[in-house]
């Protein structure tokens, strides 16, 4: 009976999730460039552990950043994870302070075995978001004011984002070595608008541009893991993964117009390309984890992407190489305690630091953050969990280059179902 209810829940969420998934609407000036603000990757267990996941594997979780981990799913079991998050951003530039927040669905992933040591997984996860709504009035005395044009106003607006729908498989090649691959469909739309409006309506034309980019295409992501027992219940796992470089096709539309005070419209420029190329560079990840089964796990990840090779219509030169370092820790006092719920809770901690891929005014953005989280058992003797995490990330730009500093607090909650299928229980 319990499996039947779980199946109904999964089917409903699977049908409804694509309709309700929406791109995050946190107002960020960094969303104006390239493919927008990159979303941190990983399940909420990974996010609580600093964004690690390349060398993590267990039978209760899906670490889609390394598809080789799917091979750890138990025979006759099913893993299903969906979650939503709340983000709050605080922007500072000098004495100016801006706040923005939003709550959205984040991910839906599920996995199940094909045979012993061989499983598949599928899901939808965010890649980037491009929401911003910024305006600026230039008046006499401001640095950008010109007596020739007089006062004017600038308006920047953007929306949309990119997501990945993936289908992957992972298998054990030997007792200690596993490999996996994801087929990932990148899709989404980014829209950007700009308006320059003069106060002097009679002598100047307003200027505006409108840009729309619809991306689509399939890429492959590879992974491998090697695991070994050190002694008793102690283990060591090493992992590598790579999302290969891919040139996608996109529908790209750009129009620039000028408008007089009497609403006369003149098109300055028009570009319409049904096959505009977009190059997303390869991402490489390496990780190692060490721990004691059912007690604790500590893990380190390193990732690198040469975003300087990226080719985004209208945004060349705004990206550079990135390197990021991540660390995570999980501790479980007593996973099978019969008397204390708190001892069965999974306690998580993490940190991350590195480069942001954006380069603005010849200055690359830096970012660093810390995270905490809990894995809360849904009931006694169950491997299902409610995963909760909180992350504080600081993005720092060069003040000399006129960049903002951005502090983002993200709080997420997900339900991670684990159950056995095709087993007839005598008692429920």
């Amino acid at each position: 009976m319990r499996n039947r209810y779980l199946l109904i829940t999964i089917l409903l969420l699977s049908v409804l999730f694509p309709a309700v998934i929406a791109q995050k609407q946190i107002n960020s000036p960094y969303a104006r460039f390239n493919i927008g603000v990159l979303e941190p990757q990983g399940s909420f267990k990974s996010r609580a552990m600093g964004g690690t996941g390349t060398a993590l594997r267990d039978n209760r979780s899906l670490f889609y950043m390394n598809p080789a981990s799917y091979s750890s799913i138990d025979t006759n079991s099913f893993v299903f994870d969906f979650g939503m998050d709340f983000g709050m951003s605080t922007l500072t530039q000098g004495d100016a302070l801006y706040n923005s927040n939003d709550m959205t669905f984040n991910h839906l992933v599920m996995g199940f075995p094909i045979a012993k040591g061989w499983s598949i997984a599928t899901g939808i996860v965010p890649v980037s978001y491009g929401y911003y709504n910024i305006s600026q009035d230039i008046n006499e005395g401001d640095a950008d004011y010109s007596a020739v044009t007089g006062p004017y106003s600038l308006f920047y607006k953007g929306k949309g984002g990119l997501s990945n729908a993936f289908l992957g498989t992972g298998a054990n090649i030997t007792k200690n070595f596993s490999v996996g691959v994801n087929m990932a469909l990148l899709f989404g739309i980014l829209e950007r608008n700009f308006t320059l409006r003069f106060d002097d309506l009679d002598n100047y034309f307003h200027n505006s541009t409108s840009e729309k980019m619809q991306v689509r295409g399939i890429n492959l992501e590879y992974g491998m893991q090697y695991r070994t027992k050190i002694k008793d219940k102690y283990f060591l796992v090493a992992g590598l993964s790579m999302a290969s470089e891919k040139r996608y096709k996109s529908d790209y539309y750009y129009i620039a117009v000028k408008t007089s005070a009497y609403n006369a419209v003149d098109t300055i420029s028009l570009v319409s390309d049904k096959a505009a190329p977009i190059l997303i560079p390869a991402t490489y990840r390496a990780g190692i984890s060490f721990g004691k089964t059912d007690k604790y796990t500590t893990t380190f990840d390193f990732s690198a992407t040469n975003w300087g090779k990226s080719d985004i219509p209208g945004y060349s030169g705004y990206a550079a190489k990135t390197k990021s370092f991540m660390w995570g820790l999980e501790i479980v006092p007593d996973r099978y305690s019969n008397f204390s719920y708190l001892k069965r809770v999974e306690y998580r901690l993490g940190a991350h630091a590195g480069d942001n891929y954006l380069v603005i005014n010849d200055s690359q953005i830096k970012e660093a953050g810390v995270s905490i989280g809990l894995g809360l058992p849904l009931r006694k003797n169950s491997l299902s969990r409610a995963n909760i995490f909180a992350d504080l990330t600081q993005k720092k730009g060069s003040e000399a280059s006129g960049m903002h500093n951005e502090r983002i607090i993200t709080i997420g909650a997900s339900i991670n179902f684990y159950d056995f299928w095709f087993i007839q229980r005598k008692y429920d």
Side-chain angles (χ1 to χ4, degrees), residues 276-403:
I278 293 179
L279 178 65
I280 304 295
T283 294
Y284 303 92
R285 296 178 66 103
I288 188 169
S289 66
F290 167 81
K292 185 177 182 180
T293 303
D294 294 329
K295 294 299 291 185
Y296 70 87
T297 301
T298 185
T299 181
F300 298 88
D301 268 23
F302 168 78
S303 70
T305 307
N306 186 4
W307 278 100
K309 294 178 63 178
S310 64
D311 185 9
I312 312 297
Y315 290 90
S316 298
Y318 287 94
K321 293 180 180 179
T322 63
K323 294 179 181 178
S324 298
F325 300 87
M326 292 145 278
W327 167 80
L329 173 68
E330 178 184 80
I331 298 175
V332 187
D334 186 353
R335 188 180 298 279
Y336 305 104
S337 173
N338 290 319
F339 306 103
S340 175
Y341 179 83
L342 293 179
K343 287 185 177 181
R344 298 198 302 272
V345 172
E346 300 165 350
Y347 300 89
R348 297 163 186 152
L349 184 66
H352 55 93
D355 309 307
N356 187 281
Y357 82 121
L358 291 178
V359 175
I360 304 173
N361 294 338
D362 298 320
S363 176
Q364 187 168 8
I365 311 302
K366 303 293 183 181
E367 63 178 69
V370 293
S371 57
I372 57 173
L374 299 172
L376 305 173
L378 295 184
R379 64 184 183 86
K380 189 175 179 180
N381 299 325
S382 171
L383 295 180
S384 297
R385 296 285 188 272
N387 290 315
I388 301 171
F389 88 96
D391 178 274
L392 171 62
T393 294
Q394 178 82 25
K395 294 181 181 178
K396 188 173 180 59
S398 169
E399 293 186 7
S401 299
M403 294 295 96

